Amino acid sequence: MFTFEVVAGAAVRQQLDENRGEVVDMVQSAYQHHQAGETINPDSYFLRFPEKPDSRIIALPALLRGDVQLAGIKWIASFPKNVAAGRPRASAVLILNDYETGYPIACLEAANISAARTAASAAVAARALRPGGLVGGRVAVVGGGVIARNICEYLHVVGCRPDTYVVHDIHEASGESLVAHLQSQGRAAKFSPALDEALDADIVVFATTALEPYVTRQFRPGQLVLNVSLRDLAPETVLGAHNILDDVDHCLKANTSPHLAEQLTGNRDFVTGTLADVLNGDVTVDDSKPVIFSPFGLGVLDIAVGAYVLDRARAAGQATDIPGFFGETSRW
């Protein structure tokens, strides 16, 4: 009961990289548990800094019942200026708590967990929402960072085999790095300095740090847009599509593109449904419009993936016990 374990980043990344298919399954299951009311997922809390308006640290608390029976909180920092110094933009830890006693049981390095669950959610959406399938055509990735790299890996897991990847980034070196990574995996890829070329692809992935919309054009029927970074699209662009969200209340806040669409129209009629609605067969989309998937990012996904990584790390002897972590183990 009084055991507390730490799982370091190298072990977390190894378990995630070796078990991507299982991570996809965990994320899909977590969405369905959330839809069924088997979770508690409060609003995220944003710690912002007046002198650093582009930076923030976010707390995502959540409870996942079902087979997991764990609560927890992800504490994740996003400091975009790290990129210029060659450091990753995001860093994070995940604390897991036993639901019966409330005691924390583990701390895991969680930047990798966060990237994996984000990428897996995009892959689950692509598999469920792409009317024309995932083989052939072009996949465009706007933004060439860690999240983009992970999304490409998880798209591959669910059978995405485009003829080519088109990468666009205003920071050309980042875009070229993603291209080189994809090519090293035997996948055709090229960098394009033209945003419009990327926006013409069959599947368009947004994985940027944009704070406000810059894409004002409409997508064509049949295109799938994975709006992972949430703020790239003008509200008029959102209104011209089928819109699938991860959670309606969570996504329609903080001036995300769907939130701007709600502010513009004064209603939520443009929301087609949630990803879990699609997975459960309660909502279908056709190719009469483009499909935009906008995931705000749910803490229950971090709990699901973190619990899985902890189990795998324990089995591999990679979870480090911290003796005497709790200062008192009895009331008297």
Side-chain angles (χ1 to χ4, degrees):
M1 173 178 174
F2 295 109
T3 299
F4 186 82
E5 297 168 296
V6 173
V7 184
V12 170
R13 183 165 182 176
Q14 178 186 339
Q15 294 303 332
L16 291 170
D17 287 351
E18 291 179 356
N19 298 282
R20 290 191 181 113
E22 288 79 2
V23 171
V24 170
D25 293 341
M26 293 291 161
V27 166
Q28 178 164 322
S29 177
Y31 276 131
Q32 292 172 308
H33 282 299
H34 182 64
Q35 187 84 350
E38 297 173 356
T39 67
I40 299 175
N41 201 109
D43 285 346
S44 305
Y45 182 82
F46 287 70
L47 177 61
R48 299 186 183 276
F49 314 98
E51 70 280 11
K52 295 183 177 184
D54 63 338
S55 301
R56 60 195 184 273
I57 308 178
I58 314 170
L60 288 81
L63 166 69
L64 179 57
R65 297 189 180 96
D67 296 334
V68 176
Q69 294 293 312
L70 290 175
I73 188 167
K74 180 177 72 175
W75 182 238
I76 180 164
S78 175
F79 279 55
K81 286 187 173 58
N82 283 346
V83 173
R87 294 187 293 265
R89 172 187 59 84
S91 58
V93 293
L94 175 67
I95 301 293
L96 296 176
N97 295 70
D98 177 71
Y99 184 41
E100 180 180 354
T101 66
Y103 273 81
I105 62 170
C107 176
L108 298 88
E109 188 279 327
N112 284 291
I113 289 172
S114 189
R117 65 83 151 150
T118 300
S121 71
V124 171
R127 184 168 62 185
L129 294 171
R130 174 68 179 147
L134 296 173
V135 177
R138 293 181 301 151
V139 172
V141 185
V142 182
V146 172
I147 297 297
R149 183 188 72 218
N150 276 270
I151 290 172
C152 292
E153 298 298 341
Y154 276 87
L155 285 175
H156 192 77
V157 168
V158 298
C160 187
R161 302 292 189 274
D163 295 328
T164 190
Y165 284 88
V166 178
V167 178
H168 172 80
D169 196 307
I170 58 175
H171 184 247
E172 185 170 344
S174 295
E176 292 285 10
S177 292
L178 179 57
V179 168
H181 171 76
L182 289 166
Q183 292 173 342
S184 75
Q185 304 298 308
R187 301 168 204 169
K190 70 168 189 173
F191 178 80
S192 175
L195 176 61
D196 280 343
E197 181 179 5
L199 299 183
D200 284 336
D202 302 283
I203 299 174
V204 182
V205 180
F206 288 96
T208 74
T209 58
L211 297 176
E212 58 186 27
Y214 57 91
V215 175
T216 57
R217 61 178 273 182
Q218 294 294 323
F219 292 97
R220 69 178 181 274
Q223 277 184 288
L224 173 62
V225 179
L226 300 175
N227 182 32
V228 176
S229 42
L230 284 176
R231 293 173 177 83
D232 304 77
L233 308 179
E236 293 83 1
T237 301
V238 171
L239 295 174
H242 296 300
N243 286 281
I244 302 298
L245 314 182
D246 57 353
D247 180 285
V248 177
D249 289 333
H250 281 267
C251 202
L252 296 181
K253 63 183 180 184
N255 288 331
T256 64
S257 294
H259 187 208
L260 294 178
E262 180 188 32
Q263 294 175 52
L264 181 64
T265 62
N267 62 62
R268 299 181 172 186
D269 295 346
F270 63 91
V271 177
T272 310
T274 67
L275 181 56
D277 287 329
V278 176
L279 295 171
N280 293 336
D282 298 324
V283 167
T284 58
V285 295
D286 57 33
D287 59 2
S288 64
K289 296 180 181 180
V291 179
I292 298 176
F293 173 58
S294 298
F296 193 79
L298 301 177
V300 293
L301 304 184
D302 298 292
I303 304 299
V305 175
Y308 175 76
V309 169
L310 178 60
D311 285 345
R312 295 289 304 182
R314 283 171 172 167
Q318 296 172 320
T320 302
D321 182 44
I322 309 298
F325 180 81
F326 296 100
E328 296 187 54
T329 56
S330 63
R331 292 190 64 205
W332 298 104

